[in-house]
Amino acid sequence: MRLILPPRLTASARTLRDTARRRGLRITQLPDGTVPGELLGGDAHLHAGPSFADAVAPALGILPLEAPTDWLARLPTAYVRREIRAMPIREAYGLRRPVFVKSPNDKSIPALVYADGSRLPGPDAVAPETVVLVSDVVTFDAEYRLYMLDGQVHTGSRYATSGRLDLAPLSPAAHAFGSDLLAAAGHTLPSAIVVDVGTTDTGQWAVVEANAAWASGCYVSDPDRALDVVLRAAGPAAQLAERDAAFVR
């Protein structure tokens, strides 16, 4: 088994690299998006950002998993505590109130509060049909990252309080909310995924967003258990479970 990494590594990627190496995985850090011939057809898995994954995954035979683009918008209000809509950015340009806007599964649209739709990147920078998630503005007091595998919270950690980086172990309450979410909506997610959750300034638990496990930082999650999720989330086509076919990027 081999773990493929991009040219530049975050602290999280280095942690997962070292964890994979201790497990006996072969590590290959590619200098660019070119895939050497000797890596073709092997048992390769990937941890990288979306653009690098898009460049190398097809040649490597890797099928990265991610949540549907409108997954957050389709969750019941009890799990998000705000109105969220998925729409083409051309429609979002017409919004005339402050909204939080982000790309569903990458960082192509900066995740920010925009004073109105006219402040979004224009059609010269973004294709008009690009889907964005538009939501009411909500303040999160504390935010947690949950690594989910086969319908269970596998590991996780706190990563922010009041919008600032603040690392701490996963709280029992965050774990319980994640488990409740999976019981209600786990069938709408791939078998390996990261979901960020948090408490709002009104004290309610809510989902922040879903993220591809293969492109997520693990913060102070258990690195072995985080790696379990990463390996499932971006592995060889031959190992793809039937239930995950609908979630391939």
Side-chain angles (χ1 to χ4, degrees):
M1 187 183 297
R2 185 186 301 273
L3 182 63
I4 306 296
L5 297 168
R8 295 189 181 123
L9 301 184
T10 63
S12 173
R14 290 193 293 272
T15 296
L16 292 177
R17 175 200 62 193
D18 295 344
T19 301
R21 186 173 283 142
R22 284 196 300 273
R23 283 198 193 181
L25 274 69
R26 291 169 291 172
I27 307 298
T28 298
Q29 187 174 353
L30 295 176
D32 53 38
T34 304
V35 177
E38 62 268 22
L39 296 183
L40 302 179
D43 182 7
H45 301 254
L46 179 69
H47 179 63
S51 59
F52 190 79
D54 289 342
V56 304
L60 289 164
I62 292 173
L63 297 181
L65 305 179
E66 64 184 10
T69 56
D70 63 347
W71 179 76
L72 196 62
R74 290 191 286 110
L75 282 179
T77 302
Y79 289 104
V80 293
R81 304 295 179 181
R82 60 205 188 274
E83 182 185 24
I84 305 173
R85 290 182 290 162
M87 64 177 68
I89 196 169
R90 59 175 170 74
E91 293 183 17
Y93 291 144
L95 296 170
R96 290 296 174 262
R97 60 183 175 86
V99 287
F100 180 81
V101 182
K102 69 178 294 292
S103 298
N105 286 317
D106 57 38
K107 309 298 183 186
S108 58
I109 307 297
L112 297 170
V113 175
Y114 293 85
D116 58 52
S118 69
R119 307 299 180 90
L120 288 163
D124 57 329
V126 181
E129 298 305 315
T130 299
V131 174
V132 293
L133 292 174
V134 176
S135 76
D136 296 333
V137 179
V138 171
T139 300
F140 284 92
D141 285 344
E143 296 170 71
Y144 298 82
R145 173 148 294 173
L146 307 178
Y147 278 81
M148 297 173 162
L149 184 66
D150 292 330
Q152 303 291 324
V153 177
H154 203 57
T155 186
S157 76
R158 190 180 73 196
Y159 63 89
T161 55
S162 301
R164 296 185 299 274
L165 185 68
D166 186 16
L167 306 183
L170 183 63
S171 73
H175 190 289
F177 178 72
S179 297
D180 182 55
L181 171 69
L182 284 169
H187 64 286
T188 65
L189 288 167
S191 66
I193 193 71
V194 160
V195 175
D196 294 344
V197 303
T199 52
T200 69
D201 56 0
T202 60
Q204 296 175 306
W205 281 97
V207 177
V208 178
E209 62 182 359
N211 292 290
W214 45 266
S216 296
C218 61
Y219 299 115
V220 292
S221 303
D222 181 307
D224 264 300
R225 295 178 73 81
L227 182 61
D228 291 339
V229 183
V230 171
L231 295 176
R232 174 78 65 80
Q239 297 177 15
L240 182 73
E242 183 178 351
R243 61 95 62 207
D244 283 329
F247 303 107
V248 174
R249 179 174 172 83

